[in-house]
Amino acid sequence: MAKKLHIKTYGCQMNVYDSERIAEVLSPLGFEAVDDADGADMVILNTCHIREKAAEKVYSELGRLRVQKETLASQGKRMVLAVTGCVAQAEGEEVLKRAPFVDMVFGPQTYHRLPQMVAEATRATGQVLDTDFPEESKFDALPDNRTVDGATAFLAIQEGCDKFCTYCVVPYTRGAEYSRPAAQVLDEARKLVVAGAQEITFLGQNVNSYHGEAADGGEWNLARLIRAAAEIEGLERIRFTTSYPAEVDDDLIQAHGDVDKLMPYLHLPVQAGSDRVLKAMNRNHGVDEYRALVDKLRAARPDLALSSDFIVGFPGETDADFRATMKLIEDVTFIQAYSFKYSPRPGTPAALMDLQVDEAVKAERLAELQALLNAQTLAFNKQCVGKTMAVLLDRAGKKPGQLVGRSPYMQAVVVDAPEQLLNRIVDVTITSAGPNSLMGALNVDNRKACA
Ligand code: SAH
Ligand code: SF4
Ligand code: F3S
């Protein structure tokens, strides 16, 4: 009988990808993924350490799961409880100390060893802790069957970070930068397409620092990899995230200009709009360089839409610095953004810097910044009304008879459409726009196609 596996995923898209791969590693052991932790034989929390709140969520979830585990134990049943992801990597020992009822703690680079770990954890009373950065790459050991839920898929091509921005834990939780060989990536991309993917998003902590080994012994950069992936028949859309602005090269800019399958949407985190703050963050570029990069990208692809990440209240950020960030946002315009109050992280240089900003000031700045960013999102969405867009319909809508999909710019578009159009790319004319989604009507040709 199949054992039930529940994976709860926090944090970034890399964790979403890892969770899928973890399920694939455990499937030959008889584990079947389920949506609910209730009644599961194994529960895995795939965690995020990026801000304090993210890490604390894990401990409160563990508290809830402890009750469930104990109830099952009183009925003579066993639930294996595991923690992986960036909290596991950053503070594995601490997890076992604060939550001694956890059976396994493993980092993001060791989950290909799960079969052994599960055997160890179920055999005796012992807990398993595996947070090495092993010599071998997990990608060489993972099963090579891939499954796709719907028509879009993530594909990790690069992992780790050598940039050491002074606020960030990722270089410590994910380790040094590693690029997968190009042939391995393309092989996985083909498998995803066979499994139904029409859109693939290449993932990496610094995806544009990709420099994978090529079959001829040389190296491919991200642009070269995108061009090769664009040749795959059946793959219609390519995206990539997250890019590090200081390393966007001319090849990548050019690819935005001439690779049709590359979507005109780019996540390009800038964090702040003040040179002083960017320097203290160790971002390796100034404000003018960012503006110049955006200009070059838009010269190559005039309809390129940008999204970004922002941190407010970095240590030493003055009101003038914050104004400079607001000015940058006004000038560049972003159609989507993630913004956060600076959160001091243990072990990072910024946590020890003088002039930490008051929480109330951070909250005020964040509210003002988000109001501007939200207004830009809404303005962009409204501009789309009356236009026709290619939408990849990849899920059911809230109301019967509706499907929801993504525009080239990643907007959610809700359409009245028959079920046969699920997982198809259709032309939609946008009829109205809100802050979070667009409404659209199917173009006549699409309706004919499914009649
Ligand atoms: N590699 C990506 C970002 C990874 S983390 C990049 O370099 O852009 C995702 C986002 O979390 C970051 O872009 C940043 O905006 C935010 N972040 C990271 N550390 C943070 C911290 N200590 N406090 C608040 N936000 C943080
Ligand atoms: Fe963190 Fe900076 Fe690396 Fe991005 S580039 S993951 S923000 S250290
Ligand atoms: Fe979080 Fe780790 Fe991703 S800290 S954002 S899950 S790389």
Side-chain angles (χ1 to χ4, degrees):
M1 208 176 70
K3 288 170 275 185
K4 291 185 182 139
L5 165 69
H6 175 71
I7 307 180
K8 183 159 184 184
T9 308
Y10 302 82
C12 63
Q13 290 152 329
M14 189 68 88
N15 268 9
V16 175
Y17 176 83
D18 284 337
S19 291
E20 286 172 12
R21 306 298 325 248
I22 288 169
E24 287 165 5
V25 174
L26 290 174
S27 153
L29 305 187
F31 285 98
E32 189 183 73
V34 296
D35 289 339
D36 205 343
D38 271 349
D41 300 282
M42 188 182 323
V43 175
I44 301 178
L45 302 184
N46 192 0
T47 61
C48 175
H49 196 62
I50 202 82
R51 286 167 289 276
E52 191 183 351
K53 259 196 204 145
E56 281 310 312
K57 260 191 214 158
V58 175
Y59 290 103
S60 44
E61 183 64 22
L62 283 174
R64 278 192 289 277
L65 288 165
R66 174 191 198 160
V67 178
Q68 193 179 327
K69 195 173 154 89
E70 285 171 354
T71 311
L72 284 170
S74 70
Q75 302 162 0
K77 294 183 203 144
R78 173 127 196 249
M79 177 182 103
V80 174
L81 185 54
V83 179
T84 185
C86 290
V87 174
Q89 191 62 52
E91 49 185 52
E93 303 262 5
E94 171 87 6
V95 171
L96 290 178
K97 231 184 269 156
R98 275 179 71 175
F101 48 92
V102 167
D103 302 286
M104 300 194 293
V105 172
F106 56 95
Q109 306 307 344
T110 54
Y111 60 78
H112 54 296
R113 299 178 185 161
L114 264 169
Q116 298 97 288
M117 288 186 234
V118 172
E120 274 172 55
T122 43
R123 200 178 299 134
T125 49
Q127 290 172 314
V128 176
L129 176 68
D130 188 351
T131 50
D132 288 354
F133 286 111
E135 280 291 308
E136 81 274 9
S137 158
K138 68 183 172 205
F139 295 111
D140 296 329
L142 289 171
D144 65 359
N145 58 314
R146 294 291 346 254
T147 49
V148 175
D149 189 13
T152 68
F154 291 133
L155 202 177
I157 66 165
Q158 183 278 338
E159 204 175 347
C161 181
D162 299 338
K163 308 296 187 271
F164 292 93
C165 300
T166 52
Y167 50 81
C168 184
V169 294
V170 172
Y172 313 98
T173 63
R174 293 280 168 165
E177 289 183 4
Y178 169 77
S179 297
R180 295 176 70 186
Q184 197 185 69
V185 170
L186 293 172
D187 186 51
E188 189 171 328
R190 279 186 216 101
K191 290 197 168 108
L192 289 168
V193 170
V194 169
Q198 292 173 56
E199 174 179 283
I200 292 182
T201 304
F202 288 152
L203 297 181
Q205 262 87 37
N206 289 293
V207 73
N208 58 319
S209 78
Y210 178 83
H211 55 99
E213 182 191 311
D216 64 5
E219 273 186 357
W220 278 10
N221 61 14
L222 178 60
R224 187 72 193 78
L225 187 71
I226 288 168
R227 287 178 193 281
E231 302 285 317
I232 299 176
E233 211 176 311
L235 178 59
E236 305 297 339
R237 293 176 157 194
I238 301 170
R239 303 178 185 277
F240 60 88
T241 197
T242 296
S243 297
Y244 182 70
E247 281 181 355
V248 175
D249 61 18
D250 289 343
D251 283 356
L252 192 59
I253 295 171
Q254 187 58 39
H256 276 286
D258 61 32
V259 179
D260 288 344
K261 290 182 180 180
L262 187 56
M263 290 294 100
Y265 174 84
L266 178 65
H267 185 57
L268 196 61
V270 65
Q271 317 296 355
S274 139
D275 281 332
R276 235 171 45 80
V277 173
L278 287 172
K279 193 156 196 303
M281 288 177 162
N282 190 32
R283 288 292 285 180
N284 288 315
H285 67 79
V287 181
D288 288 345
E289 283 153 296
Y290 187 86
R291 287 174 189 267
L293 176 60
V294 169
D295 289 346
K296 271 170 109 176
L297 282 158
R298 285 188 169 145
R301 176 85 202 215
D303 69 332
L304 186 79
L306 293 173
S307 71
S308 199
D309 292 346
F310 296 91
I311 296 176
V312 298
F314 186 80
E317 184 188 73
T318 62
D319 204 46
D321 293 322
F322 175 66
R323 291 292 136 214
T325 301
M326 294 291 282
K327 177 84 171 71
L328 180 72
I329 297 170
E330 271 160 28
D331 293 347
V332 173
T333 69
F334 298 92
I335 71 155
Q336 188 58 257
Y338 304 89
S339 46
F340 317 94
K341 290 190 272 185
Y342 166 70
S343 169
R345 305 306 290 128
T348 61
L352 303 174
M353 286 178 186
D354 295 336
L355 302 172
Q356 296 286 331
V357 176
D358 193 73
E359 279 303 311
V361 174
K362 284 186 201 172
E364 236 170 69
R365 288 182 185 164
L366 186 66
E368 196 182 334
L369 180 112
Q370 289 182 338
L372 176 58
L373 289 164
N374 290 342
Q376 292 191 341
T377 302
L378 184 61
F380 180 74
N381 288 351
K382 290 217 180 285
Q383 258 178 49
C384 296
V385 175
K387 293 193 177 139
T388 297
M389 290 183 178
V391 176
L392 171 51
L393 296 170
D394 63 352
R395 62 209 140 98
K398 279 193 197 127
K399 295 187 191 146
Q402 281 184 340
L403 294 176
V404 186
R406 294 276 169 194
S407 76
Y409 311 103
M410 282 297 273
Q411 297 147 297
V413 184
V414 183
V415 193
D416 283 328
E419 224 177 303
Q420 300 96 288
L421 290 182
L422 187 66
N423 297 334
R424 294 261 304 268
I425 297 174
V426 296
D427 280 340
V428 170
T429 300
I430 305 306
T431 52
S432 67
N436 303 315
S437 62
L438 308 175
M439 297 290 292
L442 275 184
N443 283 14
V444 177
D445 281 351
N446 300 313
R447 269 183 254 143
K448 272 197 207 132
C450 70

